[in-house]
Amino acid sequence: MPKWCKLIVAILLLPVCIGAAIALWKVLAASGNADTIWVAILSGAACWVVIYLLLPKPMWIYVFGHELTHAVWTWLMGGRVKKFKASSKGGHVVVTRNNFVIALAPYFFPLYAILVVLVFAGGNALWNWKPYAVWFHLLLGLPTRST
């Protein structure tokens, strides 16, 4: 894409950026002394930074989930998985059918988040897990990708 096209798109997006900045400012001003919101958000952000910087990256878990999502969507589209490989250095899936849905599945179908939601919904229906909602939110926001 030529640079002049990118420049035109950037100029056209400036009003959107300005509108988003104004909306963010209004939300921040309206929240006032919302200690329960800001303490939680800033604490969560600080914890994420510490975890990201100090703990090893869970690459195998991320790659496994990524490749498994390709495999699941291949099955849903009527294909077969011939080979599945996942390691901390990368992975791949050899399938009999491929299309844009299978290729893009890991980016619109968050496998681990959906599993957390399903487990919590089932547990809540059977055992009333409302008191454990904080654990649900923690697991839902747990980073499994290290970029």
Side-chain angles (χ1 to χ4, degrees), residues 86-102:
S87 72
S88 60
K89 296 189 188 324
H92 66 276
V93 179
V94 177
V95 297
T96 58
R97 174 175 291 191
N98 200 1
N99 58 32
F100 77 96
V101 175
I102 294 169

Side-chain angles (χ1 to χ4, degrees), residues 46-113:
C47 287
W48 183 87
V49 167
V50 168
I51 287 171
Y52 184 80
L53 293 176
L54 297 180
L55 292 180
K57 310 299 181 274
M59 284 305 295
W60 183 83
I61 294 170
Y62 164 69
V63 172
F64 179 79
H66 180 97
E67 301 304 336
L68 183 60
T69 305
H70 287 301
V72 167
W73 279 91
T74 298
W75 292 324
L76 290 174
M77 296 288 168
R80 288 189 359 231
V81 176
K82 290 189 163 208
K83 186 175 180 184
F84 182 94
K85 181 179 186 242
S87 72
S88 60
K89 296 189 188 324
H92 66 276
V93 179
V94 177
V95 297
T96 58
R97 174 175 291 191
N98 200 1
N99 58 32
F100 77 96
V101 175
I102 294 169
L104 297 177
Y107 306 106
F108 69 82
F109 185 80
L111 182 68
Y112 292 129

